[in-house]
Amino acid sequence: MGIKERKSRHKEDLRKRILEAAKKLFVTAGYEATSIRKIAQEIEFSPTTIYLYYKDKSDIIYALHQEGFLMLRQDFQPLMQVESPFERLKAIGKCYLRFALAHPDFYEVMFIMKDPMKYLEVNCVEGEWEEGERVFDFLLQTIRDCQNAGYFSEMDTVEVAVQAWSSVHGLCSLHVSGHLKSMMEVVLKDNDQERMIERAFRVFVSYLELTK
Amino acid sequence: MGIKERKSRHKEDLRKRILEAAKKLFVTAGYEATSIRKIAQEIEFSPTTIYLYYKDKSDIIYALHQEGFLMLRQDFQPLMQVESPFERLKAIGKCYLRFALAHPDFYEVMFIMKDPMKYLEVNCVEGEWEEGERVFDFLLQTIRDCQNAGYFSEMDTVEVAVQAWSSVHGLCSLHVSGHLKSMMEVVLKDNDQERMIERAFRVFVSYLELTK
DNA sequence: TTGGAAAGGTTAACACTGTTCACTACTTTT
DNA sequence: AAAAGTAGTGAACAGTGTTAACCTTTCCAA
């Protein structure tokens, strides 16, 4: 049985190597440059070999999508220790923003591109987006804790969560797409996007503080 | 000179027909399906002819981007008559949301895709995004009016505007990409995205109201 | 031990994509 | 009438995702 195991280990290995190659191309050259043929070239295999390990390209993209959520959850991990609910909520927002600024390509595949969401719809029984759910649940629970601490009283938890997510995601999205940059070049002389994002986030936090 | 004019009129006409064909494909079949060859087929010309009227594909996409802003500005037009600044601000938000829900493809090309923004950077002297500027200026002025009416006191107008834009855009973006849908299927039984968007928007408005 | 099935991988091809080059016709100008 | 410019095209290049047919090599049972 040893040989068989070595084989299957080798197989799992190749599957991993494909994803590693895809990730490498993805982070160094962006989504556009991540083609099946280039991945194949990277691992020194034929392009068709990739189809023995992944159903199609969207399958690989979805794997990267999941990889990204793994990273984000690792970034979120320490925040669970933050005791003050509102401080935790702020920390989640900051952490989310930092992630988007640090890994714009991953952010795109995780929260902007349609393909991974379509992949879910097509390949699952019913669209169950587990990765997103876990992150959202953390936000949801934190907001519930905030409510117990006197914030967002009389408000619907889910609605508050969706709105908060939208606000921070909106900043990330406008940054990643380049719209924030264009906007700032036009209306301001200032060109420091990160600072603007920081400040807009503070504005949002100041609104939330008013609910107490 | 009559013949010459007729010719140049014909030429402008063909340029317009190309854009019309592109728009038709774009709204009926989406961005993916809008290829140079299909546009050519639609107007019954050779694909290469299109390059006599548009520099490249991104040129056409940018034309659609502008077209979209024309539509949005037309939607905004009546809102200028709203006297109460805060009511006007709310109306802008609602109008913006309605636009994104009604024309998701256009919204994508206007506020999500990178290509049109890159086109600006490459083809202009310095990235001057006039279409966006006009819309943003309207928002900016409205917020300034709100400040005169007691809202957002002691706050930076631009920061408030960027934050407001982000919040509403975030909702639109999550809707267009399908993330909001996936999220709702997972955490709620409710599946009415439009209603959720409406409610999240109300939450945001309730925050803004607290600043007075 | 040998025949056949299964596994792993590749080559060639299909149907697309954006884009360019060389080449027609035809019209205008000199 | 010759030269120059204009509008349009067919063929081709380089690239994409994807599939079908084919080859080895390995494994397993008769």
Side-chain angles (χ1 to χ4, degrees):
Chain A
M1 267 310 212
I3 293 169
K4 210 171 187 176
E5 272 176 22
R6 179 178 56 83
K7 284 245 165 172
S8 80
R9 219 181 316 125
H10 171 73
K11 188 164 175 178
E12 264 313 301
D13 202 58
L14 190 45
R15 200 181 142 87
K16 213 171 235 168
R17 276 176 57 203
I18 291 171
L19 194 61
E20 285 304 312
K23 186 157 59 163
K24 182 182 167 187
L25 283 168
F26 189 73
V27 298
T28 60
Y31 173 74
E32 298 285 291
T34 310
S35 73
I36 300 281
R37 280 172 172 85
K38 280 181 190 160
I39 296 171
Q41 200 177 330
E42 190 74 28
I43 59 170
E44 294 181 300
F45 275 83
S46 160
T48 47
T49 302
I50 292 176
Y51 287 89
L52 301 174
Y53 296 85
Y54 288 93
K55 196 180 133 279
D56 53 20
K57 194 185 178 181
S58 76
D59 201 357
I60 299 176
I61 297 302
Y62 183 69
L64 287 175
H65 168 103
Q66 284 178 301
E67 192 103 351
F69 271 93
L70 206 73
M71 291 162 61
L72 183 60
R73 282 223 314 280
Q74 275 171 4
D75 285 4
F76 275 172
Q77 197 75 33
L79 307 185
M80 302 217 254
Q81 313 301 328
V82 178
E83 282 184 32
S84 156
F86 196 73
E87 287 302 317
R88 200 191 317 141
L89 183 61
K90 285 198 287 183
I92 290 173
K94 273 187 197 167
C95 188
Y96 189 98
L97 280 173
R98 237 182 298 122
F99 180 88
L101 291 169
H103 317 289
D105 295 299
F106 274 100
Y107 190 84
E108 215 174 335
V109 100
M110 289 163 72
F111 294 110
I112 294 176
M113 281 176 57
K114 293 167 152 181
D115 311 42
M117 289 297 112
K118 276 197 182 160
Y119 177 88
L120 275 172
E121 266 188 26
V122 174
N123 296 358
C124 288
V125 188
E126 196 59 19
E128 51 158 313
W129 184 33
E130 209 194 329
E131 287 77 26
E133 191 183 5
R134 291 205 204 172
V135 171
F136 195 75
D137 271 345
F138 183 38
L139 175 64
L140 221 45
Q141 189 53 52
T142 301
I143 288 172
R144 225 172 267 127
D145 294 343
C146 285
Q147 288 182 305
N148 289 333
Y151 295 90
F152 313 117
S153 55
E154 314 274 324
M155 300 178 82
D156 182 86
T157 315
V158 173
E159 289 173 15
V160 170
V162 168
Q163 197 286 321
W165 180 29
S166 294
S167 285
V168 182
H169 162 72
L171 278 171
C172 299
S173 169
L174 291 175
H175 169 71
V176 167
S177 66
H179 285 75
L180 188 60
K181 191 184 172 212
S182 295
M183 190 79 278
M184 284 176 69
E185 279 172 358
V186 157
V187 27
L188 297 167
K189 272 152 201 155
D190 187 5
N191 210 1
D192 190 343
Q193 282 180 81
E194 291 207 24
R195 195 167 64 185
M196 178 51 94
I197 290 173
E198 175 91 15
R199 288 179 174 184
F201 178 68
R202 278 159 125 87
V203 168
F204 181 59
V205 170
S206 78
Y207 293 157
L208 302 188
E209 278 167 345
L210 294 174
T211 66
K212 179 158 187 178
Chain B
M1 267 310 214
I3 294 168
K4 210 170 188 177
E5 272 176 22
R6 178 179 56 82
K7 284 243 167 176
S8 80
R9 220 181 316 126
H10 171 73
K11 188 164 177 180
E12 265 311 303
D13 201 56
L14 189 45
R15 201 180 141 88
K16 214 170 235 169
R17 276 176 59 202
I18 291 171
L19 195 60
E20 286 304 311
K23 187 159 55 164
K24 182 183 168 187
L25 283 169
F26 189 72
V27 298
T28 58
Y31 173 73
E32 298 284 290
T34 310
S35 72
I36 300 282
R37 279 173 172 85
K38 279 181 191 160
I39 296 171
Q41 200 177 328
E42 190 73 29
I43 60 171
E44 295 180 300
F45 274 83
S46 160
T48 48
T49 302
I50 291 175
Y51 287 89
L52 300 175
Y53 296 86
Y54 289 93
K55 196 179 133 278
D56 53 21
K57 194 185 179 181
S58 77
D59 201 358
I60 299 176
I61 296 301
Y62 183 68
L64 287 175
H65 169 103
Q66 284 179 301
E67 192 105 351
F69 271 92
L70 205 73
M71 290 161 63
L72 182 60
R73 281 223 314 280
Q74 274 170 5
D75 285 5
F76 275 172
Q77 198 74 34
L79 308 186
M80 302 217 255
Q81 313 300 328
V82 179
E83 282 184 31
S84 156
F86 196 74
E87 287 303 316
R88 200 191 317 142
L89 184 61
K90 285 198 286 183
I92 290 173
K94 272 187 198 167
C95 187
Y96 189 97
L97 280 173
R98 237 182 297 124
F99 181 87
L101 290 170
H103 318 289
D105 297 300
F106 273 102
Y107 191 85
E108 215 174 335
V109 100
M110 289 163 73
F111 294 110
I112 293 176
M113 281 177 54
K114 293 167 153 182
D115 312 42
M117 289 297 112
K118 274 196 183 160
Y119 177 87
L120 274 172
E121 265 188 25
V122 173
N123 296 358
C124 287
V125 190
E126 196 58 20
E128 51 157 313
W129 183 33
E130 211 195 327
E131 286 77 26
E133 191 184 5
R134 290 205 207 172
V135 171
F136 195 75
D137 271 345
F138 182 37
L139 175 63
L140 221 45
Q141 189 53 52
T142 301
I143 288 172
R144 224 172 270 129
D145 293 344
C146 285
Q147 288 182 303
N148 289 333
Y151 295 91
F152 314 117
S153 55
E154 313 274 324
M155 300 178 82
D156 182 87
T157 315
V158 173
E159 289 173 16
V160 171
V162 167
Q163 198 285 321
W165 181 27
S166 295
S167 285
V168 182
H169 161 72
L171 278 172
C172 299
S173 169
L174 291 175
H175 169 70
V176 167
S177 66
H179 286 75
L180 188 61
K181 191 185 171 210
S182 296
M183 189 80 280
M184 284 176 69
E185 279 173 359
V186 157
V187 28
L188 297 168
K189 272 151 202 159
D190 186 3
N191 210 359
D192 189 342
Q193 282 181 83
E194 290 206 25
R195 193 166 64 183
M196 178 51 94
I197 290 173
E198 175 91 15
R199 287 177 175 186
F201 179 68
R202 278 158 125 87
V203 168
F204 180 58
V205 170
S206 78
Y207 294 156
L208 302 187
E209 278 167 345
L210 294 174
T211 67
K212 178 156 186 179

